Each structure stands twice: as C-alpha cells, then as structure tokens.
Amino acid sequence: MRRALILAATAGLLAGCGGQHGGSPAGAADKDVRLTACALSRKLHAGVVHGVITNTTGRTAGYVVQVDIVDGGGNRVDTAMHAETDVAPGQKVKFTASGVQTYGGKITCRVASVQRTTR
C-alpha cells in the first residue's frame, strides 16, 4: 500500500510539471544526482539511500529520482523514490529516500532514473 501511495504521488508530481519548460536543460539529468550512502535501516530492515542533487541548469528545476536497491547478486530487491521541487540554479540539496521491502542481506544502490523539469 505504501509503495502505491509513493508511486501515485510521484506520478501526480510528474503530471503536474507538464514536461520541460523554457528550452533544453543543460546536460543529462542523471549527472545531477550523486548517491552518498546506501544501507539497511536498523529498525525496518529496508534500504535507506542518501544523496545530493545539484542543479546544473541555469533555471529553477524540479527532480524525481528513482534509486534501485540491489542485492549482492545484482538483482533489484526494492526501489526508493525522492521528489524535490524549486531547486535553484547551482543549488545542492541533500536527500534521503527509503525502500519499503524488508531485506536481510547486503545491498548496494544505483540511480535508476532521474526526471528533471525546468521553468
């Protein structure tokens, strides 16, 4: 249920953005996201991801970041999502995103997709 709510909220955010505005943003959006930590929550045993979004465009931007949480065999065991609005040009924003699936093994994280909208 929680995953459905997160995904529905993310879909609503993307629909409300209406795509990229005001021309092409500079560079690929995935280069604006850097993951800084990936670990299992001690209480929930779900993946927790920390990262930084840096707006490399010359316009205020919004971001939706999808991070895959991956087991030791390279298989995706969960997905974490984060949305950020009104990131000023050049601004760096720290974020934390959590998965919802309980997992007991070692994990790594990788950026699966980044959608950026500018205005």
Side-chain angles (χ1 to χ4, degrees), residues 8-106:
T10 301
L13 177 65
L14 288 174
C17 290
Q20 297 175 354
H21 300 282
S24 299
D30 60 339
K31 295 183 191 244
D32 288 4
V33 177
R34 180 175 54 93
L35 302 182
T36 58
C38 174
L40 287 175
S41 160
R42 291 181 192 205
K43 289 185 179 182
L44 301 176
H45 301 285
V48 178
V49 181
H50 297 277
V52 177
I53 298 169
T54 303
N55 182 354
T56 61
T57 74
R59 297 174 182 250
T60 299
Y63 292 84
V64 177
V65 179
Q66 176 182 334
V67 177
D68 285 343
I69 299 169
V70 180
D71 68 12
N75 303 303
R76 183 173 51 87
V77 295
D78 203 357
T79 300
M81 303 287 292
H82 180 77
E84 197 69 49
T85 59
D86 296 324
V87 181
Q91 181 181 5
K92 293 183 180 190
V93 178
K94 293 180 182 180
F95 71 89
T96 300
S98 298
V100 295
Q101 300 296 321
T102 302
Y103 187 71
K106 293 184 178 186

